[in-house]
Amino acid sequence: METQAPVSFFMTMMFLVLLIVITVICRMMIFEKAGRSNVSAFIPFLNFYVMLQIVGMKRINTLLYFITLLNIYI
């Protein structure tokens, strides 16, 4: 009797890859409208930093987001 585990795993991974691709494309479009470089959408921490600058956060608040318990307060 065969299990459906490999098929289920493959479908889950394909769904997650699709979500990542959609997210990157949307961030590229946001960065383009904000006058930023599209390449920033691919760099993990830089895209978060640029997104917070686009919405108007101060630089110190952006850096404080990377401190684990402090970002809950902010």
Side-chain angles (χ1 to χ4, degrees):
M1 181 175 205
E2 290 186 28
T3 62
Q4 294 294 324
V7 174
S8 176
F9 177 76
F10 179 74
M11 293 302 288
T12 303
M13 287 297 119
M14 293 311 295
F15 178 72
L16 291 175
V17 166
L18 180 66
L19 283 178
I20 291 171
V21 168
I22 290 172
T23 302
V24 168
I25 290 172
C26 290
R27 283 194 181 188
M28 286 176 61
M29 291 169 46
I30 291 170
F31 291 170
E32 184 178 335
K33 284 191 173 200
R36 304 292 176 119
S37 172
N38 290 341
V39 178
S40 303
F42 296 105
I43 303 171
F45 291 104
L46 182 63
N47 63 15
F48 181 73
Y49 180 74
V50 171
M51 280 292 262
L52 289 178
Q53 282 186 337
I54 289 172
V55 297
M57 295 290 289
K58 297 178 187 173
R59 286 187 180 182
I60 188 67
N61 289 350
T62 305
L63 295 176
L64 290 177
Y65 265 106
F66 293 112
I67 300 175
T68 305
L69 293 176
L70 192 61
N71 62 11
I72 295 171
Y73 177 72
I74 294 176

